[in-house]
């Protein structure tokens, strides 16, 4: 109860409505104003993640090639890196949080609320890249494996570490979204609103694509191609599911809502389809 009272007092709120955190929402809003990002969502999120959509996204991720030298991929991931570091630096100007690599077994938090309480105690564990960067890690060409020069003790943060920190804060903790299939997709949609469309294309690969692969990939299906039921032999509980193969690439625009293209001056640009259906509908 003491921690809950501290959490409420820090938020300057008598209650936490639907697990929302006013403190973090304010940081997000300040960030969007500073970088002149539209305050309202650029596309609607209707419904919630479901088996059909999850399996389609998982299959698209499986088929996606590792293409770090592709101009569109390189531009999108370069922009993602830049904006992730901007969010991290902005967060540190607003809040004094100590980030600590997690050396224990399993996950550092049982749910997003426990993580939020820790954030309000000015501390956050993060899952080290070396412990969870996917199966069959692919080459040092991956932007997410680049060093940042930022350290916690003797540990130097990689871009992926910084990304996971800001995603946990602005994707999960801010609105209390969990770590299951539905919560992860809501976290993707929420965090997407803090990025430019070009960065958002890479963000979708790193979050929506990978999470759907984990929860809906071929390893989660029976011989008929249907997802295993919880009581069925072959079902893998969440804590034992493999990480997705880590690779750089852009998923089809029906999954991200972003069209990446060459502009007239020869630079790579991107546009978010405002009428796009986030559950694989065709943009109108």
């Amino acid at each position: 109860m003491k921690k809950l009272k501290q959490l409420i007092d820090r938020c300057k709120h008598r209650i936490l409505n639907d697990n929302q955190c006013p403190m973090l929402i304010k940081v997000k809003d300040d960030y969007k104003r500073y970088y002149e990002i539209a305050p309202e969502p650029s596309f609607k999120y209707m419904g919630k993640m479901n088996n059909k959509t999850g399996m389609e996204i998982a299959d698209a991720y499986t088929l996606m090639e590792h293409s770090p030298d592709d101009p569109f991929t390189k531009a999108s991931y370069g922009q993602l890196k830049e904006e992730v570091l901007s969010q991290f630096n902005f967060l540190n100007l607003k809040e004094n949080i100590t980030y600590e690599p997690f050396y224990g077994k399993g996950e550092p938090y049982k749910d997003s609320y426990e993580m939020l309480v820790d954030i309000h105690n000015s501390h956050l564990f993060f899952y080290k890249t070396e412990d969870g960067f996917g199966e069959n890690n692919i080459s040092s060409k991956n932007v997410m494996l680049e060093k940042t020069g930022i350290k916690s003790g003797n540990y130097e943060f990689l871009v992926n570490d910084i990304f996971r920190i800001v995603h946990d804060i602005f994707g999960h903790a801010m609105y209390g979204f969990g770590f299951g299939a539905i919560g992860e997709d809501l976290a993707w949609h929420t965090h997407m609103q803090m990025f430019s469309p070009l960065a958002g294309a890479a963000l979708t690969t790193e979050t929506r694509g990978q999470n759907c692969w984990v929860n809906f990939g071929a390893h989660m299906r029976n011989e008929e191609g249907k997802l295993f039921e919880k009581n069925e032999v072959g079902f893998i509980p969440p804590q034992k599911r493999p990480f997705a193969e880590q690779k750089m690439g852009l998923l089809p625009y029906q999954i991200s809502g972003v069209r990446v293209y060459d502009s007239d001056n020869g630079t790579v640009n991107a546009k978010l389809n405002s009428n796009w259906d986030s559950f694989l509908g065709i943009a109108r």
Side-chain angles (χ1 to χ4, degrees), residues 44 74 167 201 261:
K44 296 179 180 179
K74 186 179 293 186
H167 185 64
Y261 60 92

Side-chain angles (χ1 to χ4, degrees), residues 111-180:
D111 55 35
S112 58
Y113 180 76
E114 186 175 271
M115 180 171 65
L116 179 59
V117 171
D118 202 17
I119 291 169
H120 277 269
N121 287 326
S122 301
H123 178 269
L124 178 69
F125 281 119
F126 66 91
Y127 201 51
K128 303 190 307 301
T129 291
E130 63 189 65
D131 292 339
F133 197 63
E135 307 297 319
N136 303 317
N137 296 341
I138 294 180
S139 86
S140 57
K141 271 190 172 184
N142 198 313
V143 167
M144 306 304 284
L145 294 176
E146 293 180 3
K147 295 181 178 180
T148 64
I150 302 168
K151 291 187 175 182
S152 172
N154 294 323
Y155 184 86
E156 182 172 2
F157 292 84
L158 304 181
V159 172
N160 188 66
D161 294 318
I162 301 296
F163 169 62
R164 294 301 162 186
I165 286 170
V166 297
H167 185 64
D168 276 348
I169 289 175
F170 293 121
H172 289 279
M174 186 169 63
Y175 287 114
F177 294 139
F179 302 118

Side-chain angles (χ1 to χ4, degrees), residues 74-92:
K74 186 179 293 186
S76 184
Y77 270 81
Q79 191 65 29
L80 178 66
K81 171 188 173 182
E82 179 180 324
E83 294 183 30
V84 161
L85 291 172
S86 293
Q87 290 180 19
F88 182 76
N89 291 332
F90 192 88
L91 178 64
N92 289 335

Side-chain angles (χ1 to χ4, degrees), residues 1-9 117 121:
M1 288 300 295
K2 182 180 178 181
K3 285 186 176 181
L4 177 59
K5 185 178 184 304
Q6 291 173 342
L7 178 58
I8 294 171
D9 290 344
V117 171
N121 287 326

Side-chain angles (χ1 to χ4, degrees), residues 40-78:
E40 296 300 322
S42 300
F43 59 86
K44 296 179 180 179
Y45 188 89
M46 303 297 290
K48 60 184 180 181
M49 179 52 67
N50 55 75
N51 293 351
K52 179 179 182 297
T53 299
M55 288 193 287
E56 289 185 17
I57 295 175
D59 291 344
Y61 188 86
T62 298
L63 293 173
M64 184 190 76
E65 294 184 0
H66 178 57
S67 56
D69 296 322
D70 175 81
F72 287 3
T73 299
K74 186 179 293 186
S76 184
Y77 270 81

